[in-house]
Amino acid sequence: MTSYLLAGGGTAGHVNPLLALADLIRATEPEARILVLGTREGLEARLVPERGYELAFIERLPFPRRPNAAALKFPARYARAVKTVRELIRAHRVDVVVGFGGYASAPAYRAGAKEGVPVVVHEANARPGMANKLGARSTTFVGVTFPGTPIRHAHVTGMPLRPEITGLDRAAVRESARAHFGLDPARRTLLVTGGSLGARAINRGISGSAAEIVAAGVQVLHVWGGLTEIEDPGVPGYHVIPYCDRMDLAFAACDLAVSRAGSTTVSELAGLGIPAVFVPYAVGNGEQRFNAAGVVEAGGALLVEDAELTPTWVADTLLPLLADDKRLAAMSERARSAGRLDGTERLLDLVREALASA
């Protein structure tokens, strides 16, 4: 019986691939022991127990970015976190540590190396985070979502994705998916989403042209998100919902998506062959622009800045694209050629390779 320690969390981008791998381990190795390491502040505190996995907590420990009081305390706090994880590894007889980035991963990587346990790193973004860059120094088993990710020992595994995405037959469920959202089953459909929190530039940039989009014969499913209060334009055929807990059906319903370029979203849309307009989040280290680069270069998506989402852009670029069957079909094939849906299986293969090396 193999004992796995899966470390990561904070955001959905870290938690969802972790859970996808955990689910595949559970499905293929029912006797395996799975322990998840996270923090009390991250999404894992809710999502991991809901999925039925044991969760152990360590202190949330951001890397110091500037010399201050927190930086002076960091070495001792980090050492305590590593000691805690080493004790967990011994108590649970952990055979392999798999990290996905985030606050919990760095101590887990260090603890695994000190205990002589094989360590596997998975980097979701095209620009790796600090924890994973440090972790990659002590292992050769590093999975990445996107080719060209600048991290040591990179093996392209793709993104671990949920079974409801990897097993989705869009054509087979399109009619029922549109019915689920109250959409016309025969009408061209645009999906607009900025993620669970929403994106103000996308929300207002597209909804501001609601009447023009609908007048062009297109219906819209707009997942507003929780960043700001919903501003429903009140145009028949323009459907605004606050959240969507069935993104698989939203993907099945649409012909084109306008979205942020988080690594999971890019991987899902490309893997499913959905033409997209990616609007990268401008804050941070710019990883979203790089996440989308491969699909854009392949011709499966467009890249647009926040400031470009104007009525002129909608009229001159978005509406002609939505009306062009041939171009949408070509973009679909090119997106699919740049994506993959087997990231969970390929990451588990890498984990098993690490186990075999021990």
Side-chain angles (χ1 to χ4, degrees), residues 81-308:
V82 172
K83 180 175 183 291
T84 298
V85 183
R86 293 185 71 176
E87 291 169 353
L88 284 171
I89 289 172
R90 294 186 206 125
H92 291 261
R93 297 183 179 180
V94 168
D95 296 296
V96 62
V97 173
V98 187
F100 294 83
Y103 297 121
S105 291
Y109 296 145
R110 182 64 176 160
K114 281 184 168 291
E115 290 296 314
V117 171
V119 171
V120 179
V121 174
H122 183 268
E123 176 53 58
N125 288 299
R127 274 193 170 180
M130 189 178 297
N132 281 348
K133 285 194 287 187
L134 291 174
R137 294 180 180 178
S138 58
T139 181
T140 59
F141 301 100
V142 180
V144 298
T145 299
F146 303 107
T149 302
I151 191 170
R152 292 184 181 186
H153 312 300
H155 304 259
V156 180
T157 61
M159 172 66 80
L161 298 174
R162 300 166 289 163
E164 55 265 39
I165 297 297
T166 60
L168 179 63
D169 185 336
R170 293 176 61 226
V173 301
R174 174 163 292 175
E175 185 173 341
S176 61
R178 289 181 175 176
H180 176 83
F181 296 107
L183 301 170
D184 184 332
R187 199 172 182 186
R188 179 138 300 173
T189 304
L190 172 67
L191 171 65
V192 180
T193 174
S196 60
L197 294 179
R200 184 177 286 105
I202 294 176
N203 286 346
R204 293 180 176 171
I206 303 300
S207 66
S209 296
E212 291 78 8
I213 295 171
V214 172
V218 177
Q219 63 186 343
V220 180
L221 175 62
H222 190 146
V223 184
W224 197 268
L227 185 64
T228 58
E229 289 188 13
I230 288 179
E231 298 173 17
D232 191 330
V235 176
Y238 197 102
H239 302 256
V240 179
I241 58 176
Y243 301 103
C244 181
D245 57 4
R246 291 299 306 272
M247 284 304 296
D248 56 322
L249 296 183
F251 289 150
C254 77
D255 298 288
L256 176 72
V258 176
S259 171
R260 285 295 194 211
S263 56
T264 298
T265 301
V266 171
S267 299
E268 290 175 338
L269 290 171
L272 291 170
I274 299 173
V277 175
F278 290 121
V279 188
Y281 187 46
V283 179
N285 66 0
E287 71 270 10
Q288 289 204 358
R289 174 180 296 277
F290 293 93
N291 291 345
V295 189
V296 173
E297 289 169 7
L302 305 179
L303 194 72
V304 177
E305 303 294 342
D306 279 358
E308 296 178 50

